[in-house]
Amino acid sequence: MELLATPTVRLSLYDKGTTIREIALERIKVKAEPEREDLEDPFIIYDLGDVVAKDNQWREMLPNIDTFFAVKSNPDPVFLRLLLGLGRGFDCSSKNEIKMVLDLGVSPDRIIFAHPCKQESHLRFAREKGVRLMTFDTEEELHKVKRVHPDAKLILRVRFDFLKMPIKFGCRESQVRPLLELAKNMGLSVTGVSFYVGSVNTISPQVFVQAIQHSRPIFKAGRELGLEMDLLDIGGGFPGNLHTEEAFEKLAEAVREALEEHFPPSSGVTVIAEPGSFYTRSAGYLVANVMAKRIDRPNKQDETINSTTGSPVWMYYLNVGVHNAFGLDYVDCFLKRPELLRQEEPGEQQLQLKPSCLWGPTCHPKDVIFDKCMMPEMESGDFVMFHDMGCYVKSRVSEFNGFEIPQTCYIAPREIRPILKQVFSAGKNDVSVCGCRF
């Protein structure tokens, strides 16, 4: 594979038609060389071409909605640099996230401080750095902003009562008018409305449609009070898993129609969104090693995993788990059975599947990836690959029990090389190209 290298990033370029499986097997092969000490260590492959493809899809399907990437979903600096080069803004929730993107050269006006309940020192930092756009949802937050950052441009975060929206943030509809009136009386600038429907709810495009529809009267109320009200933030939650292009297209079509009806260009309202996992989830592939194996043959009365049938269970211990790679809710909501990686096997569909349990590496009894799944029989030393691992992995994990967070390698299709050279060679970071196996 050809290498695209700068002082800050090394990108392996692959040819069209090359599969991620082939790339992962090549990486394993290289790691097996005698001088390598990381033979069995887990690693993550990030495909930057997938991010570019997602951005192209957004521009095609939702061309009038500017995106502010949710940094919390994946604060990887290479991803952030790429999205900056693609002209995207950033949704930050803390001082450290704001500092991270500012250090990459992001303009303060391309940042939204999208945390309704801000630590005062973080708010002060935002003021010092010129970050003005931010959300709020309580009276207390208005008083804090007035005291610390009175020049802020505020967006009211709303939680619609008739929708099953997350309850942690967002004011109820009955609180909207009093909060807008208070902001007006305090001399603060309220510039719009935001909502977040939650990733589970985006299964139905109608949820977005209803939220957009019920945002319109809030703009009317704000403008009647003399507030600016020219920005609508429709949040995140857009599908980003592998093979969800059709689901995104249906959602985008519904959003376009709802905006055309309730917020046409003549309304003077700019629309933004805060996608995170949409951009990065399907770009990530986690490769892990099978550290150990045993076959559990429980008695029917045992209260152990898979014991209700009394049949044997093939138990595998991987060097990644809920602490250093996944997180409990990630396993519950998004994870699919991993793919076995063997050089000599053309496809695992030819192998018999057996009742299995996949454990993480730590000594914690709840460090389990799958308590019940069907896998081909594996051996110690085998590798498996998990898909859709491009978000909420490194941003939420730890080195609990001494097990390291997986290392990262970056790949991209050769055809987007001109984009990558433009993005990663800005300033003094000249790009050089040389041969490299990985």
Side-chain angles (χ1 to χ4, degrees):
M1 296 178 72
E2 187 180 45
L3 181 73
L4 187 67
T6 79
T8 56
V9 64
R10 294 165 61 86
L11 295 167
S12 295
L13 303 179
Y14 62 87
D15 294 318
K16 187 175 182 179
T18 304
T19 67
I20 300 296
R21 178 186 176 86
E22 292 170 339
I23 293 171
L25 286 169
E26 176 66 17
R27 169 76 171 176
I28 292 170
K29 181 180 177 182
V30 171
K31 282 161 65 68
E33 295 174 352
E35 68 273 12
R36 299 289 291 262
E37 297 181 356
D38 61 347
L39 166 62
E40 299 162 341
D41 292 348
F43 59 93
I44 294 177
I45 299 173
Y46 282 151
D47 184 2
L48 302 190
D50 191 86
V51 179
V52 173
K54 288 288 186 63
D55 190 64
N56 289 337
Q57 185 184 26
W58 186 284
R59 292 179 189 276
E60 179 183 353
M61 302 301 299
L62 295 170
N64 297 322
I65 303 179
D66 193 7
T67 60
F68 286 66
F69 175 69
V71 175
K72 62 180 176 291
S73 66
N74 194 328
D76 182 272
V78 174
F79 274 166
L80 298 180
R81 181 75 178 275
L82 176 58
L83 288 164
L84 171 61
L86 294 173
R88 296 312 188 179
F90 296 88
D91 154 18
C92 299
S93 297
S94 64
K95 171 184 175 180
N96 285 340
E97 287 188 351
I98 293 174
K99 184 178 186 303
M100 186 186 308
V101 298
L102 288 174
D103 288 346
L104 289 175
V106 177
S107 174
D109 63 4
R110 296 294 291 160
I111 298 172
I112 176 172
F113 195 171
H115 196 309
C117 305
K118 294 167 281 294
Q119 184 172 313
E120 191 164 312
S121 60
H122 293 201
L123 185 58
R124 190 177 304 112
F125 179 81
R127 182 199 68 205
E128 293 169 355
K129 297 300 181 180
V131 176
R132 297 182 62 196
L133 194 61
M134 60 190 65
T135 59
F136 78 102
D137 62 4
T138 64
E139 178 180 330
E140 188 273 342
E141 194 72 11
L142 284 176
H143 288 287
K144 187 193 306 178
V145 171
K146 178 67 174 179
R147 182 173 64 254
V148 179
H149 195 350
D151 292 330
K153 298 182 66 176
L154 297 171
I155 300 175
L156 178 60
R157 173 83 172 258
V158 180
R159 172 163 51 98
F160 297 109
D161 298 331
F162 63 94
L163 295 177
K164 294 181 179 180
M165 301 173 81
I167 65 172
K168 185 174 183 178
F169 299 119
C171 72
R172 294 186 181 276
E173 291 181 86
S174 60
Q175 301 169 316
V176 167
R177 182 84 186 193
L179 285 174
L180 293 178
E181 290 177 347
L182 178 60
K184 174 65 176 179
N185 293 335
M186 295 174 70
L188 295 172
S189 173
V190 179
T191 191
V193 174
S194 74
F195 59 79
Y196 177 69
V197 301
S199 57
V200 176
N201 285 334
T202 57
I203 295 174
S204 171
Q206 192 61 27
V207 177
F208 264 106
V209 172
Q210 289 179 288
I212 291 169
Q213 176 185 348
H214 282 77
S215 295
R216 182 174 177 178
I218 302 176
F219 280 79
K220 183 175 184 294
R223 288 174 172 176
E224 288 174 351
L225 292 170
L227 297 170
E228 187 175 359
M229 303 298 287
D230 60 4
L231 182 65
L232 174 64
D233 179 357
I234 65 174
F238 302 89
N241 296 47
L242 283 172
H243 313 305
T244 55
E245 293 84 1
E246 184 177 350
F248 176 75
E249 289 177 4
K250 290 181 179 178
L251 174 59
E253 181 180 8
V255 168
R256 285 198 314 271
E257 292 177 355
L259 291 175
E260 181 62 32
E261 179 179 356
H262 302 290
F263 294 94
S266 60
S267 69
V269 174
T270 299
V271 184
I272 67 172
E274 300 168 0
S277 59
F278 166 79
Y279 273 114
T280 63
R281 187 183 298 281
S282 61
Y285 300 81
L286 172 65
V287 178
N289 182 257
V290 180
M291 303 192 306
K293 163 191 176 182
R294 69 186 176 97
I295 301 176
D296 186 33
R297 293 181 173 85
N299 297 319
K300 289 187 178 181
Q301 66 270 24
D302 286 348
E303 294 181 359
T304 56
I305 290 176
N306 266 324
S307 64
T308 53
T309 64
S311 59
V313 178
W314 278 255
M315 302 175 68
Y316 302 101
Y317 300 80
L318 308 185
N319 55 1
V320 296
V322 299
H323 296 282
N324 69 334
F326 296 103
L328 288 171
D329 58 342
Y330 198 103
V331 171
D332 293 341
C333 295
F334 299 107
L335 203 58
K336 298 179 178 65
R337 180 170 59 86
E339 175 183 355
L340 174 62
L341 295 176
R342 280 182 184 161
Q343 194 78 46
E344 68 273 14
E345 294 291 349
E348 62 177 286
Q349 69 276 4
Q350 299 179 2
L351 302 176
Q352 181 181 357
L353 300 179
K354 299 181 177 181
S356 304
C357 172
L358 303 185
W359 294 97
T362 72
C363 296
H364 197 290
K366 292 186 178 180
D367 188 4
V368 58
I369 305 168
F370 285 115
D371 60 353
K372 298 178 182 178
C373 66
M374 300 297 289
M375 289 289 297
E377 185 168 1
M378 301 186 290
E379 305 297 336
S380 296
D382 276 339
F383 288 86
V384 294
M385 181 168 68
F386 294 88
H387 300 252
D388 286 321
M389 295 296 292
C391 66
Y392 297 111
V393 177
K394 288 193 172 184
S395 60
R396 299 195 305 180
V397 298
S398 70
E399 295 184 344
F400 172 68
N401 227 165
F403 289 94
E404 296 181 354
I405 298 170
Q407 295 298 307
T408 303
C409 55
Y410 304 94
I411 63 172
R414 197 181 303 273
E415 61 261 30
I416 70 165
R417 177 176 163 183
I419 296 175
L420 299 175
K421 289 185 70 172
Q422 181 178 0
V423 168
F424 292 107
S425 63
K428 298 180 180 179
N429 293 337
D430 295 330
V431 174
S432 59
V433 178
C434 61
C436 179
R437 283 204 292 156
F438 215 106

